[in-house]
Amino acid sequence: MASIWGSAAGNISGTIYFFYFQLTGFLLSSLFLSKKDFITRILFGSVLGSVLLQWIPALFAFIFQFSIKAHIAAALFVTLATALLFSIKKPQENLFSFPSGCIKTLVKKHWIFLLLCCITFVLFCIMLSSHTLLPKEDGLHTGQCTYGDINLHLSIITSLARQQTFPPYYSISPGNKLSYPFLCDSISSSIYLFGASLRYAYMLPMYFAFLQVMSAFYCFAYTWLKKAAKACLAWFFFFYNGGLGFVYFIDWSNNRIYQFKNIFTEYYQTPTNLIDNNIRWVNVIVDMLLPQRATLFGYAVLFTCIWLLYRSVFQKEQDLFPFAAVLTASLPMIHTHSFLSMALLSAAWLLADLFRKVKFPFRLRDPGKFLFAGFLVLMLLIQLFNGQKGAVDGAYFLVICLMGLAIFFFLGTGLFINHIRKNGIKVLLSTWGIYLFLILLLSLPQLLYWTFGQASHTGFLTGRFNWGNQGDDFLWFYVKNWGLILLLLVPAVFYGKKKNLAVAGAGFLIWFVMELICFSPNPYDNNKLLYVAFVFFCCISADYGYELYHKIKSVKGIRLWSMVFLFFSGLSAILSIGRELVSDYTLYSTPHIETAIYVDENTPADATILTNDRHVNEITALSGRNIVSGAPNFLWTHGIYDQTRVDEVKYMYEFPAFSMELFEKYQVEYIMISSWERSSYQIDETVYDALFDCVFTSGEVKLYRTGL
């Protein structure tokens, strides 16, 4: 069994396995989408390859556990399946050919995006390297944004690879089935399983996922807006998002709270994350895609799905419906919020598709005004009714949302019946019918086996108004969090193109739902839905801004003011990225790493180690072993926090002589005592020396064997 450091051979083997699935995805994409352009085949093929690597080994793991045998079986299966498909559907041309001059045309037409993409990717690579188990003299280091999340993801990656139990259980709460969307981590577990280093296995698939996210967003924006400049502007608004938080750092009074240097030296004092000032709109790169792997891998699939479905619905490329459906159906165990977003988006676009096929005796002018104004009036009335600023909990918000969705459903049903009466059902069945059928067929087993059970826990699906607002008026909260983009978004909705409303309506539906329903015990997680709505708002804002600029470009100084607008639009994001580039924190100290390696090499794969409930737990993260009870902030957000376990861990540490039944109950084989445990509990180490064998020491860390 390779250690966390892996080997050169292991890195090569893991890389070959990863690229084999990427190649398979490209071959299948080129086979079935041979008539599509090269970019479609490349992007869809890469995303499909990642999805296959997440799902196929997992399916065989039900038979062989999450083992090398399961992965070999998965590789053989995709090989045979691909060969069979190629024998049935003969390729019409060389799969690796592309039109002459394609690269030259691509660079010439989309050079701004390629430049932005390259710069951003380099920044991401630098941060990913410095934030992922970076070895230094005193241990392994990470950065600010990953100091929390990386520990959970590492624990899933290592426990899957080491214990190989499938379906997996939480290593930080043994006995609870892992219903968190773990496929975002299993893709690294597969690479780690082949002997790659943990650092390399963690990073490799993330490079591809980030490229997929950036490319899929741009492809969607360009396909919708039709101009490279508009798509680049929308791309910039989304990836360099940030509100007016920078204003707090340019206060020139003598009593200023924040100083500019604090951005780069203090823990979470960035212009996109000032919780004390209710700045909650974090930058999507450094606070969503870099630390939150489920969001990263989920958005890679989601944005590609949005692009394919847009082309299916609004550009009549109906042959893309099945491919959008297959990717959408893979989402529940990659990123559940992305699947929910796709469900709401699909419903909105289905209604828009039916709506435009109905002839009405009247024509509504500027429907965007009524949509946006109605949404704002409803939100302000809810705030007025509750008589307080900020977020409010209440079951009646869930009722309001369900009533709104019921109206939406009955409107859609009416349009559906009307369409069938006039046009029959054949066309709908061959398009939306096959799309919905494939999604239900492939996603329902996941939802029933994993998601619905998790969602039944306390704290999931509760009524909550105003998302993460912590004390501001509804409008002011978004003004200071979204910032200058609102100067374009509001007129874009009120006076923008009607055809954009049919597309962007999906964003308003998602925004409406996430403002009234909280989908996890942590309300902050609703931003994963809001960012999807923000995709559409960035696009219509860019469309309106570009058109406005060309109308007034003859005005003296307009170019300078346009550059000033873009600078301040992205200033908060740029400062936040700068903070991450220089952030550096010790994640695991050298003695703790040595202890984890000892545990990894000398204990059973399913051994349970007693530790305190710190979130930076090297035992779960580096050795993949179980602990009795992990960090409350992880367990609470997953709905499995157990106060009894917490109390019994304390009792075992403070009264080990009277805790033999508890040791047996939780199958505790080893007990770890370090500075963490000493600061958490009142420990008499002489009792431990008398009762148990100390099998390992490193610095201030001791590891005892209970004898069970």
Side-chain angles (χ1 to χ4, degrees):
M1 180 174 61
S3 72
I4 62 170
W5 310 118
S7 64
N11 287 342
I12 293 171
S13 300
T15 302
I16 291 173
Y17 194 79
F18 176 83
F19 274 99
Y20 183 76
F21 278 82
Q22 286 290 306
L23 176 62
T24 301
F26 174 73
L27 291 174
L28 293 174
S29 174
S30 298
L31 178 64
F32 288 102
L33 300 177
S34 58
K35 296 181 180 180
K36 304 299 179 182
D37 61 273
F38 188 69
I39 297 301
T40 300
R41 285 180 281 155
I42 283 288
L43 179 56
F44 176 76
S46 180
V47 174
L48 179 62
S50 297
V51 169
L52 290 174
L53 180 51
Q54 289 166 312
W55 266 111
I56 304 302
L59 293 177
F60 279 95
F62 278 101
I63 304 172
F64 302 114
Q65 299 296 288
F66 200 83
S67 61
I68 289 289
K69 184 186 294 186
H71 284 72
I72 294 174
L76 290 173
F77 173 80
V78 297
T79 302
L80 294 174
T82 302
L84 179 62
L85 290 171
F86 267 79
S87 66
I88 296 173
K89 182 179 173 63
K90 302 291 184 181
Q92 299 178 358
E93 58 183 30
N94 185 353
L95 299 181
F96 297 96
S97 67
F98 53 92
S100 59
C102 174
I103 301 298
K104 184 177 180 180
T105 303
L106 180 68
V107 172
K108 183 178 180 180
K109 193 171 186 178
H110 303 285
W111 69 269
I112 299 177
F113 164 69
L114 293 175
L115 179 62
L116 286 171
C117 184
C118 288
I119 293 172
T120 306
F121 183 65
V122 169
L123 291 174
F124 181 83
C125 291
I126 293 172
M127 291 185 290
L128 181 60
S129 176
S130 66
H131 287 46
T132 307
L133 300 178
L134 184 64
K136 292 193 176 182
E137 291 183 359
D138 62 337
L140 295 175
H141 283 231
T142 188
Q144 174 182 256
C145 69
T146 50
Y147 186 74
D149 293 69
I150 193 174
N151 301 279
L152 174 66
H153 294 299
L154 287 172
S155 72
I156 296 174
I157 291 169
T158 55
S159 65
L160 270 171
R162 291 295 189 250
Q163 300 188 36
Q164 301 183 4
T165 302
F166 204 90
Y169 289 82
Y170 282 95
S171 63
I172 59 173
S173 185
N176 285 300
K177 184 168 63 177
L178 182 60
S179 295
Y180 174 82
F182 59 84
L183 294 182
C184 67
D185 292 318
S186 72
I187 191 170
S188 289
S189 299
S190 296
I191 299 170
Y192 188 47
L193 195 64
F194 280 89
S197 73
L198 183 56
R199 170 178 161 85
Y200 183 78
Y202 189 93
M203 293 165 58
L204 175 62
M206 290 183 69
Y207 293 130
F208 281 77
F210 189 66
L211 284 172
Q212 291 162 3
V213 171
M214 292 193 297
S215 301
F217 182 100
Y218 181 79
C219 287
F220 167 64
Y222 177 73
T223 304
W224 177 13
L225 303 177
K226 302 294 190 294
K227 286 186 178 294
K230 292 181 180 180
C232 286
L233 186 57
W235 190 95
F236 177 80
F237 284 154
F238 183 79
F239 287 96
Y240 288 85
N241 70 297
L244 302 178
F246 64 86
V247 174
Y248 291 98
F249 294 91
I250 56 176
D251 178 9
W252 300 109
S253 66
N254 294 326
N255 297 320
R256 57 186 179 183
I257 299 175
Y258 301 107
Q259 297 184 20
F260 185 79
K261 65 177 182 179
N262 291 357
I263 297 174
F264 304 97
T265 58
E266 300 299 321
Y267 189 70
Y268 274 122
Q269 283 194 21
T270 63
T272 58
N273 206 323
L274 288 175
I275 297 178
D276 291 340
N277 295 95
N278 210 14
I279 298 293
R280 307 276 286 169
W281 190 239
V282 297
N283 177 253
V284 71
I285 297 174
V286 298
D287 281 303
M288 299 300 294
L289 301 179
L290 179 60
Q292 302 189 39
R293 286 171 62 97
T295 303
L296 173 64
F297 287 93
Y299 280 7
V301 178
L302 172 66
F303 289 0
T304 306
C305 289
I306 293 174
W307 181 42
L308 295 177
L309 187 61
Y310 173 84
R311 293 168 61 178
S312 303
V313 176
F314 297 100
Q315 294 193 325
K316 301 302 180 183
E317 296 184 64
Q318 297 176 350
D319 57 327
L320 291 177
F321 267 110
F323 302 101
V326 169
L327 288 186
T328 299
S330 72
L331 278 169
M333 291 311 296
I334 297 175
H335 188 220
T336 311
H337 284 85
S338 287
F339 180 76
L340 176 59
S341 298
M342 200 62 197
L344 294 171
L345 182 149
S346 299
W349 283 0
L350 173 58
L351 182 63
D353 193 28
L354 294 172
F355 199 90
R356 65 181 178 172
K357 295 176 181 178
V358 177
K359 294 183 179 180
F360 292 95
F362 60 90
R363 180 172 295 179
L364 182 62
R365 297 184 61 184
D366 298 325
K369 293 182 180 180
F370 293 94
L371 177 64
F372 194 29
F375 175 83
L376 290 180
V377 168
L378 175 61
M379 295 299 136
L380 293 175
L381 285 175
I382 292 176
Q383 178 179 296
L384 182 63
F385 175 79
N386 285 279
Q388 68 181 75
K389 299 178 180 179
V392 185
D393 294 319
Y396 52 93
F397 298 123
L398 184 63
V399 174
I400 293 173
C401 185
L402 293 177
M403 289 174 60
L405 293 176
I407 294 172
F408 184 84
F409 173 78
F410 287 119
L411 176 60
T413 302
L415 292 174
F416 179 74
I417 294 172
N418 181 72
H419 177 81
I420 293 176
R421 286 177 178 175
K422 293 185 176 181
N423 306 291
I425 199 172
K426 184 177 180 180
V427 175
L428 278 178
L429 287 178
S430 63
T431 54
W432 284 104
I434 191 68
Y435 174 76
L436 296 174
F437 172 76
L438 287 173
I439 290 176
L440 290 174
L441 177 67
L442 298 175
S443 66
L444 265 181
Q446 305 171 55
L447 297 171
L448 292 172
Y449 189 78
W450 280 296
T451 309
F452 291 156
Q454 181 99 351
S456 65
H457 293 166
T458 303
F460 288 87
L461 294 177
T462 57
R464 181 183 176 89
F465 168 66
N466 210 184
W467 175 53
N469 189 347
Q470 295 182 342
D472 286 317
D473 289 315
F474 179 84
L475 288 179
W476 177 238
F477 174 75
Y478 280 103
V479 167
K480 71 181 191 179
N481 274 275
W482 283 4
L484 297 184
I485 193 176
L486 289 172
L487 296 177
L488 296 177
L489 177 60
V490 174
V493 175
F494 272 70
Y495 303 108
K497 302 169 184 176
K498 290 183 181 179
K499 63 179 182 180
N500 283 347
L501 180 62
V503 183
F508 280 100
L509 178 61
I510 294 170
W511 194 8
F512 169 77
V513 172
M514 63 79 54
E515 286 288 5
L516 294 172
I517 298 180
C518 185
F519 291 93
S520 79
N522 183 10
Y524 176 78
D525 282 347
N526 265 29
N527 65 359
K528 297 167 186 176
L529 292 169
L530 187 54
Y531 280 102
V532 181
F534 194 63
V535 168
F536 298 94
F537 302 154
C538 288
C539 287
I540 61 175
S541 298
D543 182 65
Y544 181 83
Y546 179 87
E547 299 291 345
L548 177 64
Y549 174 79
H550 277 271
K551 288 180 181 179
I552 61 175
K553 65 180 180 180
S554 60
V555 177
K556 185 178 180 180
I558 192 62
R559 289 188 179 182
L560 175 61
W561 284 111
S562 297
M563 295 302 295
V564 170
F565 175 83
L566 291 177
F567 174 77
F568 283 105
S569 294
L571 180 58
S572 291
I574 292 169
L575 291 173
S576 296
I577 292 172
R579 167 56 179 146
E580 288 304 328
L581 286 170
V582 301
S583 66
D584 180 57
Y585 294 93
T586 303
L587 188 65
Y588 310 119
S589 67
T590 299
H592 288 78
I593 297 168
E594 292 173 349
T595 305
I597 292 175
Y598 174 86
V599 168
D600 192 24
E601 295 176 348
N602 295 278
T603 68
D606 61 348
T608 299
I609 319 295
L610 187 65
T611 73
N612 84 329
D613 59 0
R614 60 187 178 276
H615 79 279
V616 287
N617 194 302
E618 66 287 339
I619 296 299
T620 59
L622 302 183
S623 75
R625 296 326 192 253
N626 297 324
I627 62 174
V628 177
S629 184
N633 53 326
F634 293 150
L635 299 176
W636 168 70
T637 56
H638 294 193
I640 55 172
Y641 180 75
D642 186 350
Q643 184 61 47
T644 299
R645 283 194 186 218
V646 174
D647 294 338
E648 290 180 338
V649 167
K650 177 180 173 65
Y651 188 86
M652 283 186 279
Y653 265 112
E654 296 185 349
F655 304 101
F658 304 100
S659 300
M660 294 304 172
E661 290 186 2
L662 290 177
F663 290 149
E664 292 180 2
K665 174 183 176 181
Y666 293 110
Q667 299 179 342
V668 175
E669 299 175 53
Y670 295 87
I671 302 172
M672 181 176 179
I673 297 180
S674 69
S675 55
W676 290 100
E677 286 73 29
R678 294 184 185 99
S679 64
S680 299
Y681 314 110
Q682 296 180 4
I683 297 176
D684 185 349
E685 294 183 44
T686 59
V687 175
Y688 283 84
D689 292 332
L691 290 175
F692 309 113
D693 292 330
C694 182
V695 295
F696 181 81
T697 60
S698 177
E700 46 86 25
V701 181
K702 293 182 179 179
L703 188 69
Y704 293 89
R705 182 166 49 209
T706 64
L708 294 180

